[in-house]
Amino acid sequence: MKKKIIIEMVKFHSSVVVFILGALFISGCKGTSAAGEGSSTIAEGNSGQVEDDFVMPVVTSKSNEQLDGQVKTTKEVPVCDNPDMLRVSGSRVVDGNGKDVVLRGVAFGNNVWNDEEVPLLHHNETDFENLAQMGMNAVRFYLNYKTFEDDKAPGKYKDSGWKWMDDNVAWAKKHGIYLILNMHVPQGGYQSLGEGKALWDDPSAQERLINLWSAIAKRYKNESIVAGYDFLNEPVVSRSRSQWHELAGRLVSEVRKVDPYHIFFIERINGVEGDWNEDSARNFFLVDDPNIVYEFHFYKPFHFTHQGAPWVDFAALDTSWPDESRVGIEWFLTKWETATFSNPVLKEGDSDWAFYEGVPYLVPDDKKVIGKPTLACSANEGKAFFDDVVLEEVDENGKVVNTLRTINLTTKRGWYFWNPGNKGEAAEETGGHGDDSALSMSKNVSDSNLGAEIFQVKLEKGKRYRISGWMKGENIGANTKCQIRLDISSAKVPLHKWDKAFLEQELNAYLAWGKKHDVPLFLGEFGTITASFKEGRGGEKWVADMLDLLMKSNINWTYHAYHEDAFSLYGDPSRLPNDDTANKPLILELKKALTGKQ
């Protein structure tokens, strides 16, 4: 039998009820249907025992509507009598009076990556006040499960974690900042880089996650300053998309038994076992609950927003925004068509540096629009070296019309190593052509390559393109084929430069899904690395372009992040935020967008 919560109820007038739970004051809720119906029923908890501290409205389960293979629920959203409790209404977030609320703010990272249980140096009440002064009304509040429980004692929740949470709820409420509670590090591991497989392969990890969310919801179910529960950050499943679909459904079902009123935030799938492709629905999916906000993240173009990021070794260095020389398109929106396979191959045996001039490629039609510089090797038991690649437009006689790319291969950054079966290596070398750097490939059993999206160019029908460069070899076999080539692709969407039009096209693809299904969306993370604000690289211009698009679209959003080393308004996580570590251009753009003031 579930233990009943002992409460003291004090009534003020006839419409407001304040529950005193210990020393914590929480606004109470009684249900009416979204359509204004007065009939209601008592909600049941996990054990089937009647809860005595809320009344659940009747939820009408009509035949669900199916759109493009996705089922949209037609259940009604329960409405709390607390006018400050947020809920979903169609594609909008509204308060208890039906007034639109657009959530705009920043993420509190809370040092979750360092497993810091109670991050007292991340922020305090002053920072909530600071956000309110900047015109923000929301914080996506990152959680690490270790704040609440230890792996050796699952389900035994820590008082220190609850106290820290209660303090933050009180600060947020005082300064009018909604909290979106986000499980950034769940039992089973941090998801974003695909290293949290245990969540998907260990049933006990999922049970612990569900139980923890149920405990959080039970504690804050009547707290209106909590906008809702963001169950899992950037899920990367181990086998199939259905794994997140099923876990999300279980979370919704179980937590809804505890909390009938709060919004649930459901993020689209981030990846499947190393596959980061996006499907026609941009990896969104619908769940059978009417009070859902659907979430996505946006860091495009990746080689700009993550330039030099130490945790992503293929992200380029020192890129700028905007950049008319770059091609703006996502890789999953391209289709490989062919390559310049007739380009010369590296000599057999050992050979010194030599220039290998490519064969001009005549673009035959309007379909083949992208050319990507590629270093390729197959059946390579030896070692091939590459350096000083040049991509040119030439005329019918091979005379250079325009030099499009001149690439001194000093780093692997910007080059993605495609290596089926993980057999083979790509490396940076200390001895190059004319300098002390080059790239190499070795022991490549299958057809492997280093491709550089950052250096791809837009091709035009009727024009000729030639890619050439320097190579040398060690122990190159008779059947080995190593060459510098141009990979040719078509595009599923219009090509753009690195500019605002590219951002708008990509953002609109996500917004279109929400519009089609008439559901609200939340851009839970967007941002650009601190390095992009240095040496005139244009980080503040990227932010200004994004904010302009977001404000016009009226979407809910939070910028990543408030206080950390890599992406932040304030750096140096070893101490509380202060002016000495402020990213002033970023803060200026956010404040300007939200308040109109500088």
Side-chain angles (χ1 to χ4, degrees), residues 36-76:
E37 298 171 355
S39 59
S40 62
T41 186
I42 303 297
E44 294 183 353
N46 288 325
S47 65
Q49 275 298 109
V50 174
E51 287 284 320
D52 58 0
D53 56 345
F54 63 76
V55 179
M56 177 75 170
V58 170
V59 176
T60 306
S61 182
K62 306 172 184 176
S63 59
N64 290 336
E65 178 184 1
Q66 185 163 340
L67 294 173
D68 296 341
Q70 300 198 45
V71 178
K72 179 184 177 183
T73 185
T74 53
K75 297 175 183 177
E76 295 177 345

Side-chain angles (χ1 to χ4, degrees), residues 201-273:
D201 299 337
D202 180 0
S204 67
Q206 294 193 8
E207 291 301 321
R208 289 172 60 190
L209 177 63
I210 292 170
N211 291 340
L212 176 55
W213 269 118
S214 295
I216 292 171
K218 185 173 183 179
R219 192 174 187 91
Y220 300 113
K221 63 187 174 185
N222 292 318
E223 181 49 72
S224 59
I225 204 63
V226 174
Y229 313 132
D230 185 351
F231 288 135
L232 185 62
N233 184 70
E234 296 185 350
V236 179
V237 294
S238 61
R239 293 185 302 277
S240 71
R241 296 170 187 267
S242 63
Q243 290 176 288
W244 174 222
H245 296 180
E246 292 168 3
L247 178 56
R250 291 176 61 202
L251 281 159
V252 168
S253 177
E254 294 302 315
V255 179
R256 191 58 83 198
K257 293 176 183 178
V258 179
D259 187 336
Y261 298 112
H262 271 105
I263 294 170
F264 295 164
F265 292 77
I266 301 294
E267 189 170 342
R268 70 192 191 96
I269 290 173
N270 199 42
V272 182
E273 182 58 20

Side-chain angles (χ1 to χ4, degrees), residues 453-501:
E453 288 182 11
I454 187 67
F455 296 123
Q456 61 192 10
V457 298
K458 181 179 180 180
L459 306 180
E460 296 182 40
K461 178 183 176 181
K463 291 188 176 181
R464 293 174 172 83
Y465 300 87
R466 180 176 66 200
I467 189 166
S468 310
W470 293 78
M471 293 189 286
K472 81 169 187 175
E474 293 178 357
N475 194 31
I476 301 300
N479 297 321
T480 298
K481 184 177 181 180
C482 293
Q483 63 183 168
I484 299 169
R485 74 186 193 208
L486 193 65
D487 279 17
I488 314 297
S489 297
S490 56
K492 301 175 185 178
V493 295
L495 291 184
H496 289 281
K497 302 168 183 176
W498 271 17
D499 58 16
K500 189 176 181 180

Side-chain angles (χ1 to χ4, degrees), residues 270-337:
N270 199 42
V272 182
E273 182 58 20
D275 180 4
W276 309 97
N277 187 37
E278 295 185 13
D279 61 18
S280 60
R282 288 296 176 110
N283 292 0
F284 286 112
F285 61 99
L286 294 168
V287 298
D288 188 21
D289 187 279
N291 207 17
I292 303 291
V293 170
Y294 293 89
E295 181 176 346
F296 68 104
H297 298 171
F298 193 101
Y299 293 100
K300 302 182 181 186
F302 191 83
H303 287 294
F304 178 74
T305 65
H306 281 68
Q307 56 184 280
W311 63 92
V312 190
D313 61 4
F314 63 86
L317 290 171
D318 303 340
T319 57
S320 299
W321 184 270
D323 190 338
E324 293 188 354
S325 73
R326 307 292 184 193
V327 177
I329 189 170
E330 289 292 288
W331 65 270
F332 56 84
L333 296 174
T334 67
K335 180 184 177 183
W336 185 89
E337 299 288 345

Side-chain angles (χ1 to χ4, degrees), residues 58-104:
V58 170
V59 176
T60 306
S61 182
K62 306 172 184 176
S63 59
N64 290 336
E65 178 184 1
Q66 185 163 340
L67 294 173
D68 296 341
Q70 300 198 45
V71 178
K72 179 184 177 183
T73 185
T74 53
K75 297 175 183 177
E76 295 177 345
V77 178
V79 181
C80 173
D81 66 351
N82 181 348
D84 297 322
M85 186 71 78
L86 301 186
R87 61 180 172 86
V88 166
S89 178
S91 62
R92 299 171 297 130
V93 173
V94 300
D95 64 17
N97 294 319
K99 182 181 178 181
D100 286 359
V101 175
V102 182
L103 300 169
R104 293 169 175 153

Side-chain angles (χ1 to χ4, degrees), residues 480-537:
T480 298
K481 184 177 181 180
C482 293
Q483 63 183 168
I484 299 169
R485 74 186 193 208
L486 193 65
D487 279 17
I488 314 297
S489 297
S490 56
K492 301 175 185 178
V493 295
L495 291 184
H496 289 281
K497 302 168 183 176
W498 271 17
D499 58 16
K500 189 176 181 180
F502 166 66
L503 297 179
E504 184 173 24
Q505 177 173 280
E506 280 299 298
L507 184 62
N508 283 345
Y510 299 100
L511 299 182
W513 184 88
K515 184 176 181 180
K516 172 178 278 191
H517 295 280
D518 192 33
V519 293
L521 296 182
F522 171 49
L523 177 51
E525 291 184 30
F526 75 102
T528 182
I529 200 164
T530 303
S532 70
F533 292 88
K534 299 177 180 179
E535 300 178 5
R537 295 180 191 136

Side-chain angles (χ1 to χ4, degrees), residues 332-494:
F332 56 84
L333 296 174
T334 67
K335 180 184 177 183
W336 185 89
E337 299 288 345
T338 187
T340 56
F341 294 116
S342 57
N343 273 14
V345 298
L346 183 60
K347 298 176 183 178
E348 182 181 350
D350 295 340
S351 61
D352 201 355
W353 285 109
F355 184 72
Y356 291 76
E357 184 175 87
V359 176
Y361 173 77
L362 175 63
V363 181
D365 52 49
D366 292 324
K367 182 178 180 181
K368 299 175 179 64
V369 292
I370 303 169
K372 181 173 71 174
T374 302
L375 317 176
C377 275
S378 62
N380 178 26
E381 297 179 358
K383 193 171 192 178
F385 299 78
F386 305 87
D387 204 359
D388 292 333
V389 174
V390 59
L391 175 57
E392 302 160 318
E393 179 191 342
V394 298
D395 63 17
E396 63 273 17
N397 298 314
K399 183 178 180 180
V400 176
V401 175
N402 188 15
T403 300
L404 304 174
R405 295 279 186 258
T406 301
I407 311 167
N408 184 9
L409 300 180
T410 59
T411 177
K412 283 197 303 180
R413 286 197 166 274
W415 296 83
Y416 181 80
F417 186 39
W418 184 73
N419 182 29
N422 294 320
K423 295 181 179 179
E425 298 175 358
E428 297 174 359
E429 299 291 338
T430 55
H433 168 256
D435 59 18
D436 58 359
S437 62
L439 297 184
S440 70
M441 295 176 67
S442 59
K443 302 176 183 177
N444 308 104
V445 177
S446 57
D447 184 4
S448 304
N449 66 69
L450 281 162
E453 288 182 11
I454 187 67
F455 296 123
Q456 61 192 10
V457 298
K458 181 179 180 180
L459 306 180
E460 296 182 40
K461 178 183 176 181
K463 291 188 176 181
R464 293 174 172 83
Y465 300 87
R466 180 176 66 200
I467 189 166
S468 310
W470 293 78
M471 293 189 286
K472 81 169 187 175
E474 293 178 357
N475 194 31
I476 301 300
N479 297 321
T480 298
K481 184 177 181 180
C482 293
Q483 63 183 168
I484 299 169
R485 74 186 193 208
L486 193 65
D487 279 17
I488 314 297
S489 297
S490 56
K492 301 175 185 178
V493 295

